[in-house]
Amino acid sequence: MKVYEKDQKVKVTFKVNGKEMETEVEPRRLLVHVLRDLGFTGVHIGCDTSNCGACTVLLNGKSVKSCTLLAVEADNSEITTIEGLAKDGKLHPVQEAFWDKHALQCGYCTPGMIMQSVWLLKENPNPTEEEIREGISGNLCRCTGYQNIVEAIKTAAEKLRLDQPLYQRQ
Ligand code: FES
Ligand code: FES
């Protein structure tokens, strides 16, 4: 285990949404705080205790709650935040489906919920309703009652499957 001096700052390098970034952080700082300081304020903080999922990002392609790890642990990793999903001004299919199905109210949980859904559909492109509910069970929503979120994920799954070239479909 690495031991750091009090008040020592450490250089960390990430690729966030495809862009190389370097910053100096205190080793005690959580990834979620550092990402927000770097301007990625779509990464929300709902609890800081790994319950709500509002801080979910993709770290080397896997969904993580960014309040559950230190920024230094993410050194040299590739991170995708909600800001990195839209391409060329076009929303990601999961974002579009959340919009179309009215899968949000206050929107506080939405970035984390969408990042978790993106990961879920990468792992399981054709989930059952039960698998969707299980897949987002670490993300809390205080407003919607979840039904429209589940509908949005089903819609996004269908769209993503249709968008795949024929030879890649199951
Ligand atoms: S802020 Fe990370 S799980 Fe709630
Ligand atoms: S839309 Fe308000 S917490 Fe989910």
Side-chain angles (χ1 to χ4, degrees):
M1 193 178 71
K2 235 177 187 164
V3 178
Y4 296 99
E5 299 297 321
K6 188 170 171 284
D7 298 330
Q8 180 185 349
K9 287 214 172 173
V10 180
K11 193 164 73 177
V12 286
T13 309
F14 316 117
K15 199 184 237 185
V16 188
N17 302 333
K19 198 169 156 208
E20 294 285 354
M21 305 205 140
E22 194 179 284
T23 185
E24 292 212 329
V25 300
E26 287 174 60
R28 66 178 179 85
R29 298 208 75 211
L30 298 174
L31 179 61
V32 64
H33 294 132
V34 172
L35 286 173
R36 288 180 58 84
D37 286 353
L38 287 170
F40 301 100
T41 50
V43 188
H44 288 174
I45 302 170
C47 65
D48 243 358
T49 52
S50 77
N51 281 301
C52 74
C55 63
T56 304
V57 298
L58 302 184
L59 181 82
N60 296 328
K62 288 193 176 145
S63 104
V64 296
K65 293 178 176 176
S66 57
C67 74
T68 61
L69 72 163
L70 300 167
V72 289
E73 294 178 284
D75 190 23
N76 290 319
S77 62
E78 285 200 26
I79 297 167
T80 309
T81 70
I82 190 75
E83 289 90 347
L85 281 191
K87 294 273 177 278
D88 303 324
K90 195 173 166 4
L91 293 178
H92 184 282
V94 175
Q95 291 175 304
E96 254 173 19
F98 269 63
W99 175 279
D100 290 343
K101 295 287 170 185
H102 310 290
L104 60 134
Q105 286 180 30
C106 79
Y108 202 81
C109 70
T110 309
M113 197 64 92
I114 287 178
M115 296 314 292
Q116 179 64 13
S117 306
V118 168
W119 177 78
L120 166 66
L121 295 178
K122 215 167 80 181
E123 293 292 296
N124 180 359
N126 193 10
T128 62
E129 177 156 341
E130 205 183 332
E131 287 167 338
I132 291 173
R133 288 184 182 275
E134 171 69 27
I136 59 167
S137 59
N139 292 68
L140 303 181
C141 176
R142 296 288 184 199
C143 307
T144 63
Y146 299 96
Q147 190 54 42
N148 287 9
I149 292 175
V150 172
E151 292 304 320
I153 297 171
K154 281 187 201 166
T155 303
E158 204 173 314
K159 179 152 182 29
L160 283 164
R161 287 199 306 275
L162 287 174
D163 282 352
Q164 277 183 345
L166 272 177
Y167 62 85
Q168 284 181 4
R169 288 189 205 160
Q170 291 167 344

